[in-house]
Amino acid sequence: MPGFELWGADERKEVNDVLETGILMRYGFDGPRKGIWKAKELEQAICTTFGSTYAQLTSSGTSALTTALAALGIGAGDEVIMPTFTFVASFEAVLSVGAIPVLVDVDDTLTLNPEAVKAALTHKTKCIMPVHMCGSMADLDALKQICDERDLVLLEDACQAIGGTYKGKKLGTIGHAGTFSFDFVKTITCGEGGVVMTNDEEVYTKCDGYTDHGHDHLGVDRGADLHPFVGYNYRISELHAAVGLAQIKRLNEFLAIQKKNHGQLKAILSQVPEVTYRSIPDPQGDSCTFLSWFLPTEEITKAVVEELKAQGILAGNFYWYNNNWHYISKWDHLKNVQFLNGQSKEITDRLKLYSEETYPESDAIMSRCISTSISLLWTDEQIKEKGDKLVAAIRKVLANQTANV
Ligand SMILES: *Cc1c(COP(=O)(O)O)cnc(C)c1O
């Protein structure tokens, strides 16, 4: 999964270019920066690599989502449909623009169930935000159709699916806007960073200003810029952008290794007929950061997790159902409306409902799912050893189950 595993000379060289001039900021200082514009260069590389017309770098994936939502006009009182299985940043961003996160079931794609999305639509729905979790994609045709019919905004949280594709197009470039995160554990990293991609010039111009205090960036004198709207500081630094610039040049290398390792591990795991896999709307487009697999029941899955733990080989295998970051069952701070400051009545009223709501369809998927993260560093021998140990642990649990019946 993570590009940081292959940190090396290219990253050091790009960072060093910035250290030589000492101009750590992405705007201004035209003379002293001696032609070094890492953020601009990375935005250009993102457009070329992913086929997006525009790209706006930000300080994080979370601020990229916030920026995209604001630029798309999502704000107070608007409902944003998002999945019950995602990283907490997805709802943080929605809340940060004053909008209301509406949590909706996932299906065995581990992403938004389009039927559940339809059932959650109200007159306040403004945006559908699929999250392409664990390297693979939501059913974008189905979601796009709902958006087209209802005149809704489609915002892709592609933070975990850098380099994945859907029917030949790169994930993150298919909706009205899409985001990547370049935090430390993502497919390519800046250390910290993110990007909004869009093909809409107006949305891009808004992102550009929003991430830099509303500056219009039209003149040559930063101090004389006009401020057509209120913005914030979600800028990336030149040092972070420099790391990303080295990493994006290696993306194809990372993806090829992921695919190879993913394929080898899947071949070993497939010796167990009881193991099944997530559905992938376009199997060609899986970025293969994780291998996500299912066992027949929650009980068996929990027993396998315990067995892996007992053998000291759980690391790298994620049981999201019990993990306190990624699945709704553990988002108590959200459900208990624990904020440091006052929130609108509309938001608090809606969030309070979540403590009473249940998600049996999501539970039925997530309670049986384990995702194994794919390392870029594994040797063929290590994959075989890991795979064989996984298979042995699963077989042991399955044999116990049969014996107990
Ligand atoms: C990592 C991530 C984010 C946020 O990215 P940060 O750069 O860590 O702020 C948003 N959504 C998903 C699905 C993520 O995995």
Side-chain angles (χ1 to χ4, degrees):
M1 179 192 189
F4 80 80
E5 290 180 318
L6 292 178
W7 172 274
D10 298 350
E11 286 75 7
R12 279 192 289 276
K13 191 226 161 257
E14 295 290 347
V15 173
N16 208 46
D17 288 348
V18 179
L19 295 177
E20 288 294 333
T21 67
I23 305 303
L24 311 185
M25 185 173 174
R26 67 160 301 178
Y27 297 114
F29 304 92
D30 295 24
R33 69 168 58 243
K34 299 187 177 132
I36 306 281
W37 298 90
K38 297 299 182 189
K40 273 191 188 165
E41 225 186 300
L42 179 53
E43 283 167 349
Q44 196 49 56
I46 289 168
C47 290
T48 316
T49 305
F50 300 101
S52 167
T53 314
Y54 304 100
Q56 177 63 49
L57 284 168
T58 60
S59 52
S60 70
T62 312
S63 61
L65 283 169
T66 300
T67 298
L69 286 163
L72 291 163
I74 315 294
D78 295 332
E79 291 183 353
V80 178
I81 292 183
M82 51 163 282
T84 52
F85 173 51
T86 180
F87 184 53
V88 288
S90 309
F91 65 70
E92 289 167 0
V94 173
L95 291 165
S96 76
V97 297
I100 301 167
V102 174
L103 299 165
V104 161
D105 276 321
V106 295
D107 57 23
D108 68 359
T109 64
L110 305 183
T111 66
L112 277 179
N113 176 344
E115 291 309 315
V117 170
K118 282 184 202 162
L121 295 170
T122 73
H123 67 282
K124 288 190 191 167
T125 310
K126 197 78 175 281
C127 174
I128 299 178
M129 186 166 84
V131 183
H132 305 307
M133 279 302 273
C134 305
S136 173
M137 82 270 348
D139 183 347
L140 284 169
D141 279 349
L143 296 174
K144 213 160 182 291
Q145 194 184 340
I146 301 170
C147 288
D148 290 347
E149 280 167 14
R150 304 281 294 236
D151 202 18
L152 304 174
V153 166
L154 183 64
L155 170 58
E156 297 175 73
D157 179 343
C159 289
Q160 289 199 10
I162 300 173
T165 58
Y166 179 70
K167 300 191 174 173
K169 284 190 179 160
K170 296 283 198 294
L171 298 176
T173 67
I174 295 162
H176 295 94
T179 63
F180 291 149
S181 161
F182 301 127
D183 80 20
F184 196 53
V185 296
K186 297 304 203 283
T187 306
I188 52 179
T189 186
C190 289
E192 299 284 358
V195 69
V196 183
M197 292 174 293
T198 181
N199 296 324
D200 183 325
E201 184 177 5
E202 196 183 327
V203 171
Y204 162 71
T205 304
K206 288 174 178 170
C207 291
D208 174 63
Y210 191 78
T211 51
D212 187 25
H213 306 293
H215 278 268
D216 67 2
H217 295 146
L218 290 178
V220 285
D221 175 7
R222 181 171 168 79
D225 275 354
L226 298 179
H227 302 86
F229 50 81
V230 172
Y232 298 89
N233 176 3
Y234 294 141
R235 293 186 304 257
I236 195 165
S237 82
E238 284 286 280
L239 288 171
H240 292 92
V243 177
L245 196 54
Q247 291 253 304
I248 198 170
K249 292 173 186 163
R250 309 176 68 186
L251 177 62
N252 285 338
E253 175 197 341
F254 297 169
L255 291 171
I257 299 172
Q258 276 176 186
K259 272 188 191 168
K260 175 182 99 28
N261 292 355
H262 181 280
Q264 288 180 4
L265 187 66
K266 187 171 177 182
I268 298 171
L269 214 53
S270 298
Q271 296 167 44
V272 187
E274 286 85 352
V275 171
T276 55
Y277 300 93
R278 81 188 286 185
S279 299
I280 299 182
D282 176 5
Q284 299 278 324
D286 187 354
S287 77
C288 296
T289 54
F290 285 89
L291 177 64
S292 295
W293 42 286
F294 300 111
L295 288 158
T297 66
E298 174 176 344
E299 193 191 356
I300 293 172
T301 314
K302 285 189 165 152
V304 167
V305 170
E306 284 311 312
E307 181 59 32
L308 297 179
K309 207 183 280 176
Q311 292 188 24
I313 54 170
L314 185 63
N317 296 289
F318 295 90
Y319 186 45
W320 310 111
Y321 191 59
N322 268 353
N323 166 301
N324 62 9
W325 279 32
H326 293 83
Y327 187 55
I328 188 173
S329 59
K330 299 284 177 169
W331 295 340
D332 290 336
H333 60 323
L334 180 73
K335 293 186 276 187
N336 297 332
V337 199
Q338 276 162 333
F339 290 83
L340 293 179
N341 52 2
Q343 300 292 313
S344 75
K345 184 168 157 24
E346 227 169 353
I347 286 180
T348 51
D349 286 353
R350 184 65 187 86
L351 293 185
K352 275 180 194 151
L353 296 178
Y354 286 121
S355 53
E356 289 145 33
E357 274 164 34
T358 57
Y359 292 87
E361 289 187 29
S362 297
D363 289 347
I365 301 288
M366 297 313 299
S367 64
R368 297 186 299 107
C369 176
I370 295 174
S371 298
T372 305
S373 98
I374 302 296
S375 170
L376 298 176
L377 298 176
W378 288 342
T379 62
D380 289 354
E381 293 71 38
Q382 284 171 328
I383 297 171
K384 174 136 182 26
E385 192 190 331
K386 274 177 191 297
D388 287 347
K389 281 186 177 166
L390 268 181
V391 165
I394 297 165
R395 283 194 173 138
K396 181 174 167 193
V397 169
L398 290 171
N400 279 343
Q401 295 281 324
T402 321
N404 290 342
V405 171

